[in-house]
Amino acid sequence: MTFTDTSSGRAGLSLAERISFFIIGCYFIIFTALVFFRQHAVSWMIFVTLFSICFVLVAFGLFCRSKGWQKLANTCVAFGTIFALLFTASPLTHAMLPLWRASIDPSLVEIDKLFGFSWPHILELTSRYPRFVDAIGYAYNSVAPQFAILIIALGASGRMRDLQEFLLVVSLTSAATIGFWALFPAFGPTTIYDIDFETIYGFTPTITMDYGRDMVRMALEGPGHIPPKNAMGLIA
């Protein structure tokens, strides 16, 4: 069996799907341990509801796979798996707070300078193109819908190998990114610079200074309550 093989018609998970669920399980175990030992407050009922929906989708997908309805089966399994991964990975980064070490943002700014890159200069440049700013803001805020559209498109078109590879890549890169961030945390330039966007540049970016100040606070004090609506992910 290959990583992406689902052609046998059996109701089981492919190797790519099993790897993804193994990563999800690791996320959940680490998240639960951090919540317990650091005494974070969590909206467990909401998380259980979201995970239940994901696993119902996966179960329905496996049923469809046993009937030979491969397009519907792989689409439902991918939907359930991807969103279970998102619902676990994002809260996990919050549960890792407060940080065990200082963020590497100051070092990243210095590296930017070596290459002649200036974040304030980029803001000044993009402020001349408000439609472009709106477009990239929309793209940033629509990651979950983009995932959903891509899964539906790949599933409906019968591109099962591509769908399975997409699932595997998202799962593995998620694990690698979170692992690196746990060792070398960073929140982005809004935690370094203090800029009045509306006054200086005439627009408000998707990631604001208030977001940056909130990240600095949580890095020192911890997240407090972790509801899903605030669990957008912290990795910059």
Side-chain angles (χ1 to χ4, degrees), residues 4 35 49 53-54 95 97 111 127 144 155 166 182:
T4 60
V35 167
T49 301
I53 294 172
C54 292
L97 302 177
I111 293 174
S127 68
F166 169 70

Short mmCIF file of all heavy atoms in Angstrom, two decimals, residues 4 35 49 53-54 95 97 111 127 144 155 166 182:
data_model
loop_
_atom_site.label_atom_id
_atom_site.label_comp_id
_atom_site.label_asym_id
_atom_site.label_seq_id
_atom_site.Cartn_x
_atom_site.Cartn_y
_atom_site.Cartn_z
N THR A 4 -1.05 7.01 -0.32
CA THR A 4 -2.31 7.59 -0.77
C THR A 4 -3.28 6.57 -1.32
O THR A 4 -4.29 6.93 -1.92
CB THR A 4 -2.03 8.64 -1.86
OG1 THR A 4 -1.37 8.01 -2.96
CG2 THR A 4 -1.18 9.77 -1.32
N VAL A 35 -2.89 21.66 29.32
CA VAL A 35 -4.05 22.26 29.99
C VAL A 35 -4.12 21.81 31.45
O VAL A 35 -4.38 22.62 32.35
CB VAL A 35 -5.36 21.88 29.25
CG1 VAL A 35 -6.58 22.23 30.09
CG2 VAL A 35 -5.43 22.61 27.91
N THR A 49 -17.91 19.11 20.74
CA THR A 49 -18.90 19.22 19.66
C THR A 49 -18.24 19.31 18.30
O THR A 49 -18.64 18.62 17.35
CB THR A 49 -19.79 20.47 19.89
OG1 THR A 49 -20.45 20.35 21.16
CG2 THR A 49 -20.84 20.59 18.78
N ILE A 53 -18.38 16.43 15.21
CA ILE A 53 -18.78 16.68 13.82
C ILE A 53 -17.72 16.14 12.86
O ILE A 53 -18.04 15.49 11.85
CB ILE A 53 -18.99 18.19 13.59
CG1 ILE A 53 -20.20 18.68 14.41
CG2 ILE A 53 -19.21 18.49 12.10
CD1 ILE A 53 -20.36 20.19 14.40
N CYS A 54 -16.44 16.39 13.18
CA CYS A 54 -15.35 15.89 12.33
C CYS A 54 -15.36 14.38 12.25
O CYS A 54 -15.22 13.80 11.15
CB CYS A 54 -14.01 16.38 12.87
SG CYS A 54 -13.75 18.17 12.73
N ALA A 95 -2.01 26.66 24.25
CA ALA A 95 -1.72 25.93 25.49
C ALA A 95 -0.24 25.93 25.82
O ALA A 95 0.14 25.70 26.98
CB ALA A 95 -2.24 24.49 25.38
N LEU A 97 1.59 28.46 25.91
CA LEU A 97 1.90 29.72 26.59
C LEU A 97 1.69 29.59 28.09
O LEU A 97 0.84 28.83 28.54
CB LEU A 97 1.02 30.84 26.02
CG LEU A 97 1.13 31.08 24.51
CD1 LEU A 97 0.15 32.14 24.07
CD2 LEU A 97 2.56 31.45 24.13
N ILE A 111 17.80 40.05 11.17
CA ILE A 111 18.10 39.31 9.94
C ILE A 111 17.48 40.03 8.74
O ILE A 111 18.09 40.14 7.67
CB ILE A 111 17.58 37.86 10.04
CG1 ILE A 111 18.37 37.09 11.10
CG2 ILE A 111 17.67 37.16 8.69
CD1 ILE A 111 17.84 35.71 11.38
N SER A 127 0.38 50.64 1.40
CA SER A 127 -0.70 51.59 1.67
C SER A 127 -1.10 52.38 0.41
O SER A 127 -2.19 52.95 0.36
CB SER A 127 -0.29 52.56 2.78
OG SER A 127 0.75 53.42 2.34
N ALA A 144 -9.62 28.76 5.98
CA ALA A 144 -10.50 27.60 6.16
C ALA A 144 -11.42 27.40 4.96
O ALA A 144 -11.54 26.27 4.45
CB ALA A 144 -11.30 27.73 7.44
N GLY A 155 -11.98 16.28 -4.56
CA GLY A 155 -12.84 15.12 -4.39
C GLY A 155 -13.83 14.95 -5.52
O GLY A 155 -14.02 13.85 -6.07
N PHE A 166 -2.42 16.03 -0.47
CA PHE A 166 -2.71 17.30 0.19
C PHE A 166 -2.90 17.08 1.69
O PHE A 166 -2.34 17.82 2.52
CB PHE A 166 -3.96 17.92 -0.42
CG PHE A 166 -4.50 19.11 0.34
CD1 PHE A 166 -3.82 20.32 0.36
CD2 PHE A 166 -5.70 19.02 1.02
CE1 PHE A 166 -4.31 21.41 1.05
CE2 PHE A 166 -6.20 20.10 1.73
CZ PHE A 166 -5.51 21.30 1.74
N ALA A 182 7.70 25.61 18.80
CA ALA A 182 7.83 25.30 20.23
C ALA A 182 9.25 25.55 20.72
O ALA A 182 9.46 25.95 21.87
CB ALA A 182 7.43 23.84 20.48
#
